[in-house]
Amino acid sequence: MTQPTETPVAPPDQAATAPQLRRSGRNKVIGGVCGGLGRYCDIDPVIFRIALGVLTVISGLGLVFYGFAWLLLPLDGEEENEGRRLLTGRVEGPALAAVLMALAGCGIFLSTLNNGSVMAFAGQLALAVAGVAVWSQRRSVAPADAVPDPAADGTAPGAAPQTLVLGDAPPETKAPPTPASPSWWRDPIVKDGTTGPVGTGYLWGAEDADPVPPAGARERDPKAAARAGKAADRATRGPRPIGGLVFLLALLAGGIATSVGWDHRPLGTTLQIGLTAALAVFGLGLVISAFVGRTGFGTLFAAVATAALLAGASALPKTIDTHWTRTDWTPTAVTAVQPSYALGTGEGTLDLTRVAVPAGQSVSTRAEVAAGRLRVVVPEDVTVKARISVGLGDVQLPSEAPEDIDIHPDQKRTVTLFPPAGVTPSGTLDLELHVSLGQVEVARAAS
């Protein structure tokens, strides 16, 4: 009988026993990201869960971080992460959930960019949690020159390393026989004098090769050879890509949904409907690719771009419509001047040249264009006090050259325009002018 062998067991290496940054397969709620971070940083995972939950509610950054971490961090016991599987066309449930989570977070984040206080609080919270995690991870790592405690493994100084007693080694595993070769696998089973069925293949390993037909048979049946070649080509090529079809269907769905509400809905709402339909097709395509066919990075990029456009469309003012209109407002007297003038999309001209404002009096009005151009023409002899605001665009005043166009976001200007020299001044025009996207122009009538 073989004597038991003794295999020396080396002391554990500190680098090998240090925790690695991976997703936890046991301590997880969704994908194991917070559990893996807690183990790596030596912190309770609840801290990360609370922080990511707060960041998700106020800015969407929690979903963005969790989705990308789910894609990039491998699970315990695995070497390949979900992002690599996704790029190779193997779209599975975890990868799909991570992508959709990141897309939703990007949409929420883009919609809150204009809220400076929320962004500041989210940044401070993220930096605070990151600082605590780095500090905790560094303090939990022992110094490189630390002397190990001999009593930690139950051995005294100078004692021999522990040994592990093993029994008889198992027999060496052998591969199955090659196809079409003699093997006891194919021998009939004989029991109690009765011969049983003969096996038709192996339990593992390569499949049996089909018997090679004579050369004449192959020549006589070219269709069978062509079918066999196509079958072999499909087996080596893998799932058929469906990314192009998904992109075309997303364009079609987005175009149809946009055209339905184009005539009777605001531009922002119409674009939201179309982009939502396209994003739904991209999501459905990713789900289908998990079972049939495959998609690649192009489909993911198109889905992310669609989500960004959807967030931008949601920020458009509801006053912007889908029809370009030219409108002229021409009051002829002070009493005919309305309190406000408004236009959705197009070019609006407020002509006040025939309004005679008596000296010492003031006339107030407001004009607004959601997207386009607002032009105000004032009499030569009036003093103009204007409060101008432009969300994104240009402001043109009488003292500026027409070719001097300076486009800036969030322009707010308060100006006072006096009559030219040599002109007897009359009353005052108090104007409030607003354009969300476009140009505001104030011009004086010629004498």
Side-chain angles (χ1 to χ4, degrees):
M1 181 175 178
T2 305
Q3 296 294 330
T5 59
E6 295 184 356
T7 303
V9 179
D13 187 8
Q14 180 180 355
T17 58
Q20 297 182 349
L21 184 55
R22 293 174 176 269
R23 292 186 291 117
S24 175
R26 301 177 60 184
N27 186 5
K28 68 176 183 178
V29 176
I30 301 178
V33 173
C34 294
L37 288 175
R39 178 183 56 192
Y40 181 75
C41 300
D42 195 18
I43 296 179
D44 192 337
V46 176
I47 297 178
F48 290 104
R49 293 184 180 120
I50 294 176
L52 291 179
V54 173
L55 290 175
T56 297
V57 172
I58 65 175
S59 65
L61 287 176
L63 290 178
V64 176
F65 175 82
Y66 200 98
F68 281 102
W70 197 348
L71 289 174
L72 299 178
L73 297 181
L75 189 64
D76 285 339
E78 297 182 1
E79 295 297 330
E80 191 177 36
N81 56 25
E82 300 295 339
R84 186 175 179 181
R85 294 191 183 99
L86 197 64
L87 294 178
T88 55
R90 292 172 291 169
V91 182
E92 300 175 353
L96 178 61
V99 170
L100 295 180
M101 184 178 293
L103 287 177
C106 289
I108 299 174
F109 174 72
L110 292 175
S111 64
T112 58
L113 283 178
N114 295 329
N115 196 332
S117 59
V118 170
M119 290 293 101
F121 175 74
Q124 293 174 3
L125 178 60
L127 290 177
V129 174
V132 171
V134 172
W135 171 80
S136 178
Q137 195 271 340
R138 288 185 176 275
R139 71 173 176 83
S140 62
V141 177
D145 56 352
V147 179
D149 186 5
D153 56 355
T155 60
Q162 295 180 352
T163 59
L164 178 65
V165 180
L166 304 176
D168 294 339
E172 182 183 356
T173 304
K174 296 182 179 180
T178 58
S181 63
S183 170
W184 60 269
W185 288 75
R186 298 192 178 280
D187 293 340
I189 301 175
V190 179
K191 184 177 181 181
D192 299 333
T194 304
T195 302
V198 179
T200 58
Y202 303 116
L203 296 180
W204 71 85
E207 297 290 340
D208 281 339
D210 295 333
V212 181
R218 289 197 301 266
E219 295 176 357
R220 289 193 300 269
D221 193 4
K223 294 183 179 180
R227 288 195 298 270
K230 291 181 179 179
D233 182 62
R234 285 194 300 269
T236 57
R237 187 172 58 244
R240 185 181 300 275
I242 61 173
L245 179 60
V246 171
F247 183 76
L248 291 177
L249 291 177
L251 286 180
L252 182 61
I256 294 175
T258 303
S259 62
V260 168
W262 185 262
D263 293 330
H264 55 277
R265 294 181 183 274
L267 178 62
T269 304
T270 303
L271 293 179
Q272 288 181 54
I273 295 174
L275 292 172
T276 301
L279 190 60
V281 172
F282 281 124
L284 184 61
L286 291 174
V287 173
I288 294 176
S289 65
F291 306 96
V292 179
R294 59 184 174 88
T295 56
F297 179 75
T299 303
L300 292 178
F301 178 79
V304 173
T306 303
L309 292 175
L310 179 59
S314 63
L316 290 177
K318 299 303 180 183
T319 54
I320 300 178
D321 54 33
T322 57
H323 299 283
W324 185 273
T325 306
R326 294 180 180 272
T327 303
D328 295 329
W329 303 293
T330 56
T332 58
V334 173
T335 56
V337 177
Q338 299 180 10
S340 63
Y341 300 89
L343 177 65
T345 304
E347 182 176 349
T349 301
L350 178 59
D351 189 357
L352 301 173
T353 56
R354 289 186 286 180
V355 177
V357 183
Q361 295 187 13
S362 177
V363 177
S364 301
T365 187
R366 184 180 188 276
E368 177 181 3
V369 173
R373 183 187 183 196
L374 173 60
R375 186 171 185 265
V376 181
V377 184
V378 299
E380 187 181 20
D381 58 349
V382 299
T383 300
V384 179
K385 295 183 178 180
R387 296 180 301 278
I388 304 172
S389 63
V390 178
L392 176 63
D394 175 53
V395 176
Q396 192 79 32
L397 299 177
S399 59
E400 300 175 354
E403 62 273 8
D404 186 12
I405 298 177
D406 191 9
I407 299 176
H408 283 294
D410 196 19
Q411 293 197 55
K412 297 183 183 299
R413 300 177 64 176
T414 301
V415 296
T416 301
L417 306 176
F418 296 98
V423 176
T424 302
S426 58
T428 302
L429 282 176
D430 191 357
L431 305 177
E432 183 176 353
L433 310 177
H434 175 73
V435 170
S436 299
L437 181 64
Q439 184 187 53
V440 172
E441 178 185 357
V442 179
R444 280 195 182 273
S447 55

